[in-house]
């Protein structure tokens, strides 16, 4: 009656490409697949030649000129194919070209020029060879390019009851909810704070499960120190739509679920522990605010601490079995093929686990001791 949820990052099977390499690769592929594209006049590079364009890479102006030329070539090809009927393979190639031609660049200072943008697109394609692979930070200093393996584990046995493979930047919580689809009501779900959002907790409750999930900690302003007042120090009346601060001031909650104390913060003796904002303290309340407050209180009280310590570690052990012996790197390109590979490996791990638990052959069939 328990399931432990977790995920792990998997390395992709291809090399990550920079902006120039992606542009050249995407243009070259469209020109190869679509005859009309090959007839378009291009000037930035000889796309029939192998390798990267010739460029003084340590010269910022030369690199900027190359990027601008590649983007203009891509736009010329896309414009020339407007209205032309394409098959699925050709359409995917043109769509990928349009994506890589826009995700990393922005207009330059002069009309018709482009430069690499000083930002990162939220869902950036990192390789035209494997367009479904994504970049993901495991921490501030550690990151991987590839995919994410999600698992649901029965913690008493270590058997993996469900698994899914997604791009590396997919959220843990929504995928975890999907892994439990079809399970009977009444599970205790154990997971870390990556699964602790309000929508996930609400979905689990609606499915009839109880959440033994680590609460997402509240952020504090480093300027105010560790004794800053947090959301939990405010009294929120969701029925009356009011918010009361530690200083006793009550304000209405707006239609957009915001509570602003503004001038009430002036001269307040508690201001130094509450906010450094010139306009006073402002609270943004989510639709699942009451669920998150209850979750933080339950975690602080240790309501399910014993179960969490006893049962959740098994999912980490199952993941260790999953990625052992070089299986941290996927073998294929794309989500679908790698999902098949992940499911096959999970089946093998489960079979080995069953054998270790006593599965054996008898005269009447298989038996679990």
């Amino acid at each position: 009656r328990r399931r432990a949820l977790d995920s792990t990052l998997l390395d992709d099977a291809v090399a990550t490409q920079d902006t120039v390499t992606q542009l050249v690769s995407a243009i070259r592929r469209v020109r190869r697949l679509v005859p009309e594209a090959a007839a378009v006049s291009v000037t930035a590079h000889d796309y029939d030649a192998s390798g990267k364009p010739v460029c003084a890479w340590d010269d910022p102006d030369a690199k900027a000129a190359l990027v601008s030329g590649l983007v203009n070539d891509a736009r010329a090809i896309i414009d020339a194919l407007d209205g032309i009927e394409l098959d699925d393979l050709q359409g995917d190639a043109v769509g990928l070209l349009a994506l890589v031609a826009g995700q990393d660049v922005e207009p330059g200072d002069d009309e018709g020029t482009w430069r690499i943008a000083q930002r990162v697109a939220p869902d950036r394609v990192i390789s035209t060879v494997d367009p479904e692979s994504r970049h993901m930070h495991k921490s501030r200093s550690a990151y991987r390019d590839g995919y994410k393996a999600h698992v649901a584990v029965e913690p008493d046995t270590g058997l993996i009851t469900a698994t899914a493979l997604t791009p590396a930047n997919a959220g843990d919580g929504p995928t975890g909810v999907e892994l439990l689809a079809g399970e009977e009501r009444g599970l205790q779900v154990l997971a870390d704070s990556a699964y602790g959002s309000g929508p996930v907790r609400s979905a689990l409750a609606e499915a009839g499960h109880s959440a033994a999930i680590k609460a997402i900690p509240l952020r504090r302003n480093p300027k105010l120190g560790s004794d800053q007042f947090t959301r939990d120090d405010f009294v929120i009346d969701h029925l009356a739509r009011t918010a009361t601060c530690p200083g006793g001031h009550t304000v209405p909650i707006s239609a957009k679920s915001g509570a602003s104390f503004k001038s009430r913060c002036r001269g307040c003796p508690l201001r130094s522990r509450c906010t450094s904002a010139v306009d006073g303290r402002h609270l943004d309340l989510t639709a699942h605010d009451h669920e998150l407050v209850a979750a933080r209180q339950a975690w602080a009280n240790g309501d399910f601490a014993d179960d969490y310590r006893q049962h959740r570690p098994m999912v980490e052990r199952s993941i260790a079995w999953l990625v052992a012996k070089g299986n941290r790197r996927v073998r294929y390109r794309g989500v679908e093929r790698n999902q098949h590979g992940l499911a096959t490996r999970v089946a093998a791990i489960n079979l080995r686990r069953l054998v270790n638990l006593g599965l054996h052959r008898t005269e009447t069939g298989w038996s679990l001791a």
Side-chain angles (χ1 to χ4, degrees), residues 296-317:
R296 289 191 293 269
Q297 189 61 53
W299 179 256
N301 293 341
D303 291 353
F304 48 83
D306 291 341
D307 288 344
Y308 191 87
R309 283 193 294 266
Q310 179 181 352
H311 297 290
R312 189 184 171 276
M314 178 54 81
V315 69
E316 297 177 354
R317 192 176 306 170

Side-chain angles (χ1 to χ4, degrees), residues 26-334:
I27 292 173
R28 186 179 287 146
R29 183 167 181 241
V30 171
R31 284 168 55 85
R32 184 177 68 250
L33 294 175
V34 186
E36 292 86 350
V40 177
S41 176
V42 290
T43 59
H45 177 57
D46 180 6
Y47 299 100
D48 295 325
S50 60
K52 294 182 70 171
V54 177
C55 178
W57 296 105
D58 56 350
D59 183 349
D61 293 336
K63 186 175 180 179
L66 174 61
V67 169
S68 186
L70 293 174
V71 173
N72 284 326
D73 283 353
R75 291 169 62 88
I77 291 173
I78 294 170
D79 290 342
L81 299 181
D82 185 28
I84 295 178
E85 186 174 349
L86 305 172
D87 60 31
D88 291 344
L89 185 62
Q90 293 172 330
D92 289 344
V94 174
L96 182 60
L97 173 59
L99 180 60
V100 300
Q103 67 177 2
D104 292 334
V105 299
E106 61 186 10
D109 296 330
D110 299 324
E111 185 176 356
T113 63
W114 302 87
R115 63 187 174 212
I116 295 179
Q118 299 302 309
R119 54 168 172 73
V120 177
D123 197 36
R124 182 179 183 270
V125 172
I126 60 175
S127 172
T128 57
V129 181
D130 188 356
E132 293 183 295
S133 177
R134 290 295 184 270
H135 180 83
M136 177 64 183
H137 275 276
K138 186 66 175 177
S139 66
R140 288 178 179 242
S141 58
Y143 64 88
R144 278 192 162 88
D145 295 325
Y147 296 92
K148 189 182 289 186
H150 306 260
V151 295
V153 172
E154 198 290 305
D156 290 332
T157 62
L159 293 173
I160 300 174
T161 60
T163 187
L165 183 130
T166 65
N169 61 346
D172 287 348
T175 307
V177 172
E178 293 175 7
L179 292 181
L180 300 178
E183 291 271 19
E184 293 183 9
R185 298 171 71 87
L187 290 176
Q188 182 188 44
V189 180
L190 303 111
D192 61 23
S193 59
Y195 299 82
S197 70
V200 171
R201 292 180 183 276
S202 178
L204 292 176
E206 186 175 346
H209 307 316
S210 62
I213 298 176
K214 185 176 181 180
I216 300 174
L218 292 171
R219 294 184 177 181
R220 296 180 185 271
N221 188 337
K223 298 179 181 178
L224 302 181
S226 59
D227 63 344
Q228 178 196 8
F229 293 124
T230 66
R231 152 66 188 88
D232 292 345
D233 294 307
F234 289 71
V235 178
I236 307 298
D237 188 332
H238 291 282
L239 293 178
R241 302 286 294 173
T242 60
T244 303
C245 72
H249 303 291
T250 300
V251 299
I253 298 174
S254 69
K256 295 183 178 180
S257 297
S260 295
F261 292 87
K262 297 182 178 179
S263 61
R264 296 169 180 82
C265 295
R266 295 197 200 112
C268 178
L270 301 179
R271 182 186 178 111
S272 61
R273 291 183 56 195
C274 194
T275 182
S276 60
V278 175
D279 296 331
R281 184 67 181 261
H282 177 84
L283 291 180
D284 286 313
L285 305 172
T286 69
H288 302 281
D289 177 72
H290 61 289
E291 293 166 306
L292 294 174
V293 171
R296 289 191 293 269
Q297 189 61 53
W299 179 256
N301 293 341
D303 291 353
F304 48 83
D306 291 341
D307 288 344
Y308 191 87
R309 283 193 294 266
Q310 179 181 352
H311 297 290
R312 189 184 171 276
M314 178 54 81
V315 69
E316 297 177 354
R317 192 176 306 170
S318 298
I319 283 178
W321 295 333
L322 185 67
V323 300
K325 298 182 179 180
N327 285 282
R328 174 71 70 179
R329 181 177 296 277
V330 300
R331 301 184 181 185
Y332 311 106
R333 301 173 187 175

